[in-house]
Amino acid sequence: MEFSSKAFKEGKCQGQKVVHGEIMPLVLQPPEPNKGDLESLLLALKENKDWFEQMIINNSAVLLRGYNVEKAEDFNEIIEIFGWEEIHYVGPAPRTHVYKRVLTANEGPLSEFIHYHHEMVLIKECPKKVIFFCEIPPPEGGETPFVPSFRVTERMLEEFPEAVEKIEEKGLKYTFTTLSKNDTASSMRGRGWEDTFGTSDCAEAERRANAAGMDLEWLPNGAVQATLSPRPLTKVFDGRKGRRMWFNLAVGTHGKEHSSAMMADGTELPEHVVKRCEEIIEEESIQFKWEKGDVLFFDNMALLHGRRPSLPPRRILVAITK
């Protein structure tokens, strides 16, 4: 489906790329200067819901820019237009509930880089869409770079076909240590286990962890070690041209202080393969500078995303949906 809608004007942004004929991100702006108010945007989205959702699938990322979106309540109205079912966030990233379906993005130290990932990639039911809203753009840095996941698979198969297929056959095993208490000031994975699982009851935490596909081990210091295995290296999703997405956290967790990734049978991942994969992901990355009021839609099945280090202040809000 080519771009065609009188309700929006196609724009451009710095860092935009064309990947296999697909514009990433597709920038949509008001068709006329007097159509940038919130009410006009909501009407345009309501009347073009199916078309807009197809644009997300076709281009993997769609950026609404130039509209008068000012606060969390405005952002929530945009999300609710589509009727997408909300999904509860499960994970260690420190976040705060802001309003209805709106959360803060990872509140870990802005000085730290967040590794590329598909949101909740290891959970049995992960979100199909991740939507960001820029309330306060950072003065420097703080981009949300993203990567077409299929390009990582293509390039890894070109350079390491045997290693890729071996890992794919065996599957991956991850372990994570979740803190006993929240530590958002010094850690990107700063949620304690109570916030991570939404309960202070150990038995209920285990039940919820098991339902999400993970096993828990309680450590003497009050922390919890979660194990997830086996998990795939790549996945193919309907409606995305049969592409094999690099649907894993091998790079982001391998050899880190509070996490590890290996093959499901306990075999270590080849260090040079993981290192080269990290380089490929960065080489394929796409990024733009946030502007106040930006609303960015990601196809979570198709894109990895991360966060560049930033000077404060930076306030990016997020919603995740099925």
Side-chain angles (χ1 to χ4, degrees):
M1 182 186 298
E2 298 293 330
F3 174 82
S4 178
S5 175
K6 294 181 179 180
F8 300 96
K9 179 177 70 175
E10 185 176 356
K12 296 185 181 299
C13 68
Q14 185 179 8
Q16 190 179 53
K17 290 185 180 180
V18 178
V19 183
H20 289 208
E22 298 159 18
I23 302 170
M24 298 184 187
L26 174 66
V27 181
L28 300 181
Q29 298 177 322
E32 301 171 18
N34 64 344
K35 295 290 186 180
D37 59 284
L38 180 63
E39 291 73 18
S40 295
L41 173 59
L42 294 174
L43 179 61
L45 292 174
K46 184 176 181 180
E47 293 180 344
N48 295 272
K49 283 194 293 187
D50 292 343
W51 174 86
F52 191 90
E53 186 160 10
Q54 193 59 50
M55 290 299 100
I56 299 172
I57 301 299
N58 287 0
N59 299 278
S60 300
V62 175
L63 174 63
L64 292 174
R65 172 166 284 181
Y67 290 95
N68 187 29
V69 186
E70 295 187 344
K71 54 187 183 295
E73 290 82 355
D74 300 342
F75 179 44
N76 188 75
E77 282 196 71
I78 291 170
I79 303 306
E80 291 191 342
I81 283 285
F82 294 96
W84 298 325
E85 189 176 348
E86 186 177 7
I87 191 168
H88 176 69
Y89 173 73
V90 177
R95 300 179 187 270
T96 301
H97 178 257
V98 178
Y99 177 77
K100 291 189 176 180
R101 303 176 65 146
V102 180
L103 308 171
T104 57
N106 192 317
E107 294 179 350
L110 289 176
S111 59
E112 300 297 319
F113 172 70
I114 297 178
H115 287 279
Y116 293 94
H117 60 285
H118 291 269
E119 197 67 43
M120 292 168 55
V121 62
L122 303 182
I123 306 302
K124 287 183 177 179
E125 186 178 36
C126 67
K128 291 183 178 179
K129 298 176 186 69
V130 180
I131 309 101
F132 295 96
F133 162 56
C134 179
E135 189 173 39
I136 303 174
E140 182 179 325
E143 297 90 351
T144 301
F146 60 94
V147 179
S149 195
F150 77 94
R151 284 292 297 143
V152 183
T153 306
E154 287 180 346
R155 293 189 58 185
M156 288 296 289
L157 283 169
E158 289 171 3
E159 297 191 28
F160 306 105
E162 292 183 3
V164 169
E165 297 304 353
K166 182 178 180 180
I167 299 169
E168 188 76 272
E169 179 183 352
K170 292 189 174 184
L172 287 162
K173 176 182 179 180
Y174 301 92
T175 59
F176 300 91
T177 300
T178 302
L179 307 174
S180 57
K181 297 294 181 183
N182 290 350
D183 180 17
T184 60
S186 61
S187 175
M188 303 306 306
R189 302 180 55 80
R191 288 179 108 194
W193 67 265
E194 292 183 14
D195 271 4
T196 296
F197 298 109
T199 179
S200 59
D201 181 81
C202 295
E204 179 61 17
E206 289 200 35
R207 189 193 69 77
R208 295 181 183 185
N210 294 160
M214 63 183 80
D215 296 316
L216 299 186
E217 178 185 350
W218 300 90
L219 305 180
N221 64 357
V224 181
Q225 186 176 81
T227 301
L228 303 92
S229 179
R231 289 292 188 274
L233 183 73
T234 67
K235 274 191 174 184
V236 177
F237 297 99
D238 291 340
R240 293 163 181 85
K241 302 181 180 180
R243 292 166 169 170
R244 284 176 70 178
M245 305 300 183
W246 193 254
F247 212 70
N248 62 78
L249 275 181
V251 169
T253 58
H254 181 261
K256 301 300 188 294
E257 182 180 359
H258 297 295
S259 65
S260 67
M262 61 186 68
M263 294 187 219
D265 65 357
T267 304
E268 291 293 331
L269 298 174
E271 185 73 32
H272 70 287
V273 173
V274 177
K275 180 174 176 56
R276 179 58 185 142
C277 182
E278 185 172 16
E279 294 171 348
I280 287 171
I281 290 173
E282 188 57 56
E283 290 166 7
E284 293 292 330
S285 66
I286 300 167
Q287 59 192 324
F288 64 96
K289 296 289 185 182
W290 282 113
E291 294 185 5
K292 182 175 176 57
D294 281 350
V295 179
L296 178 64
F297 294 76
F298 277 164
D299 178 2
N300 191 47
M301 306 291 97
L303 295 179
L304 300 143
H305 70 274
R307 189 195 72 188
R308 299 278 185 219
S310 171
L311 291 180
R314 177 188 190 269
R315 184 170 168 86
I316 306 296
L317 305 181
V318 66
I320 55 177
T321 70
K322 295 183 181 179

